Amino acid sequence: MTSVPRERTRRDVPYVVPSWTDPVVARATRIIGGPVGRYAVIGGRGLLGVAIALVSLGTAMLALGVWQKGHCLMKGWSTPSQFWRACYSDLPVTHVSSSLALRELPWVGSTPSTQPPLSGLVMWVLAQVSPRVGQGVDAQQAIFIGWVLIAVFLLAAAIVAAVALQPGRPWQAAQLGASPVLVTLALVSTDLLGVALTMIGLWAWRRDRPWLAGVLLGLACLVRPFPIVFLAAIALLAWRRGEAMRAAQVVVGGLLGVLLVLVPLVTIEPQSLTAVRGWWGQGAGYGALQMVPQLSGLPYGPSAWIASAGWACALILGAVVVRRSAWRRLQEQQVAALMMLVVVLSAQSLSVQSGLWVLPLLALSARPWWEHLVWAAAETLHFVMTWLHIAFASDPGRGLPGETYALVIVLRLAAWSWILWRIWEEPRRRSDLAGDALPITLRRSADLPAASIQRVPGAG
């Protein structure tokens, strides 16, 4: 007599199945046949199958990003059409407006670029390998397509690292690889490089390689300063656990990663620190809460001092929280999210592409997709409204006035505050998260076919 197969439960599967636990995912999967069946064999292809699927999704999102920038790609990045069409990108614009068009470092000449050190170096390498030179549309197209190809590999590396970091919830990495904000933000700047370095650095830390983790996070800081909160979070938690040597190693590794690039770069071209020097003297930038008084016609204080105080308060708050909380229940992404909350509220500038830095936190947390989509909606609204506000100077009848843009900034920062706080207050060590931090193994069961018994790499 043939026995009826038993329904699978969470104890039977090697990792959490999102279409069983997340209503948004369950509804979204209807376009490909619906949620995973109750008798399906889960984990037959291991984590590699999950990684391949998510990399494919990430590549599709970048392809949509190319389509979203299609007008500029075909016609060139010119003002004000690049703002009306919301297809602006730092890479082709900086290429034609700096010495990169002559295949020189971007900080050379009478109008040095304000690109961060590592971002500028990547753009210089792109200029060297580009088949086109000069300031024409063909040169812009070559640079942009070159960055798209690099972005595919960077996003794939970040996704694989996110899957490896959470073997108990590998599909959570979809919040990095399949996020709607990738369509609008991933190709605006080189921030995806910093995100990839950060994710690989966190993976190195979990694999007990503090020196490598520190160097990678230090390099990421040369793209955008946000990785400092990740570096501080892992160092503070290591110190609280009595691992002072590992904490010192990751911090020193971070400094070495920064010096590894800055020392030779400054030796060759002293103006490469233009962005760092100019930061102190510049006013409030787009997306920052500090810009709201300026947009409303009110007096405002020195933005650099406020931003510096915000960073100091964030690091102090992280140290106090780790010191006083039940540290065994904290993970790096929680502490980093709390510190980032303070940083963004006091930031001097919070550009449109800054939203990419929330994705690693979401990929390492257990937040449901509906929360991600609410935040992404606010982020996309800010993306479009920023370009309309910039274009207001060329056509006030079509552009977005300052008072309205101020409301958009407040709405965006409210969404940031909400999602970062949700990540921070996320309870740890729940039964369905038990496999997040440690490799998992499965016991062989007579009710499960052999194909569903998986050994996760690193489990022993």
Side-chain angles (χ1 to χ4, degrees):
M1 185 176 187
T2 304
S3 59
V4 178
R6 181 171 60 87
E7 291 186 12
R8 302 291 184 253
T9 67
R10 292 187 183 183
R11 294 180 179 274
D12 298 325
V13 297
Y15 47 71
V16 174
V17 182
S19 62
W20 289 355
T21 58
D22 193 317
V24 173
V25 178
R27 292 186 179 94
T29 55
R30 290 176 182 174
I31 63 176
I32 56 173
V36 175
R38 292 176 296 177
Y39 303 103
V41 176
I42 306 299
R45 297 182 180 178
L47 297 182
L48 178 61
V50 177
I52 292 174
L54 292 181
V55 169
S56 300
L57 282 174
T59 303
M61 301 306 287
L62 291 180
L64 289 174
V66 175
W67 172 80
Q68 192 270 328
K69 303 288 190 293
H71 174 81
C72 289
L73 182 59
M74 298 301 296
K75 304 294 185 180
W77 281 262
S78 60
T79 302
S81 64
Q82 62 182 342
F83 301 131
W84 296 125
R85 301 281 184 165
C87 57
Y88 175 87
S89 176
D90 267 348
L91 288 101
V93 172
T94 303
H95 179 83
V96 299
S97 61
S98 69
S99 54
L100 285 170
L102 302 175
R103 291 179 174 169
E104 297 179 348
L105 289 171
W107 308 283
V108 176
S110 58
T111 56
S113 171
T114 57
Q115 288 294 319
L118 192 56
S119 298
L121 279 178
V122 170
M123 295 172 72
W124 175 77
V125 172
L126 269 176
Q128 301 304 307
V129 301
S130 173
R132 304 293 183 182
V133 67
Q135 299 179 332
V137 175
D138 55 347
Q140 289 183 320
Q141 292 171 338
I143 291 297
F144 183 77
I145 294 301
W147 173 248
V148 170
L149 297 177
I150 294 174
V152 170
F153 289 100
L154 291 174
L155 183 59
I159 291 171
V160 171
V163 170
L165 280 166
Q166 293 200 116
R169 299 183 65 91
W171 285 102
Q172 190 68 18
Q175 300 216 26
L176 169 61
S179 174
V181 303
L182 287 175
V183 176
T184 53
L185 306 185
L187 304 178
V188 171
S189 67
T190 60
D191 280 54
L192 198 58
L193 170 63
V195 171
L197 288 171
T198 299
M199 293 303 301
I200 301 172
L202 292 172
W203 171 84
W205 172 255
R206 292 283 183 89
R207 289 295 184 269
D208 197 22
R209 297 172 184 173
W211 287 107
L212 177 60
V215 169
L216 291 172
L217 289 170
L219 291 174
C221 292
L222 297 177
V223 176
R224 198 72 63 180
F226 288 122
I228 295 176
V229 300
F230 293 93
L231 184 62
I234 62 179
L236 287 170
L237 286 173
W239 167 75
R240 187 67 177 88
R241 291 167 182 151
E243 301 171 350
M245 180 58 69
R246 294 184 74 218
Q249 287 173 339
V250 74
V251 171
V252 174
L255 294 175
L256 290 177
V258 172
L259 295 177
L260 184 66
V261 173
L262 285 188
V263 170
L265 187 59
V266 173
T267 303
I268 296 172
E269 180 49 63
Q271 289 195 94
S272 58
L273 295 181
T274 300
V276 179
R277 295 168 184 163
W279 174 82
W280 186 261
Q282 69 184 15
Y286 295 108
L289 190 61
Q290 292 192 49
M291 196 181 187
V292 172
Q294 176 183 344
L295 293 169
S296 304
L298 301 175
Y300 56 94
S303 55
W305 282 104
I306 298 174
S308 300
W311 274 102
C313 291
L315 296 175
I316 293 172
L317 176 63
V320 170
V321 166
V322 171
R323 176 69 178 175
R324 296 187 176 182
S325 299
W327 55 269
R328 290 182 179 86
R329 297 175 61 86
L330 289 178
Q331 290 194 350
E332 289 84 0
Q333 69 271 11
Q334 289 181 280
V335 181
L338 184 63
M339 290 191 289
M340 187 179 288
L341 175 59
V342 178
V343 169
V344 299
L345 291 177
S346 59
Q348 186 180 22
S349 175
L350 198 64
S351 56
V352 292
Q353 64 266 29
S354 299
L356 291 174
W357 293 94
V358 179
L359 300 184
L361 297 171
L362 289 169
L364 296 177
S365 68
R367 303 320 311 160
W369 264 99
W370 75 267
E371 294 183 2
H372 183 133
L373 295 178
V374 169
W375 165 78
E379 197 67 13
T380 303
L381 175 67
H382 174 263
F383 173 83
V384 176
M385 294 298 107
T386 297
W387 307 129
L388 290 180
H389 173 66
I390 295 175
F392 179 79
S394 62
D395 188 350
R398 296 173 58 194
L400 189 72
E403 296 81 0
T404 308
Y405 182 56
L407 294 177
V408 174
I409 290 177
V410 173
L411 176 62
R412 181 205 191 193
L413 287 174
W416 273 63
S417 301
W418 172 70
I419 196 67
L420 291 175
W421 184 259
R422 294 289 289 168
I423 295 172
W424 153 249
E425 68 176 3
E426 184 173 274
R428 294 285 88 191
R429 299 297 185 264
R430 296 184 303 187
S431 60
D432 60 339
L433 298 180
D436 282 2
L438 297 175
I440 58 174
T441 55
L442 296 179
R443 295 181 179 178
R444 189 175 182 86
S445 170
D447 297 320
L448 290 176
S452 65
I453 309 299
Q454 297 296 313
R455 179 184 180 276
V456 176

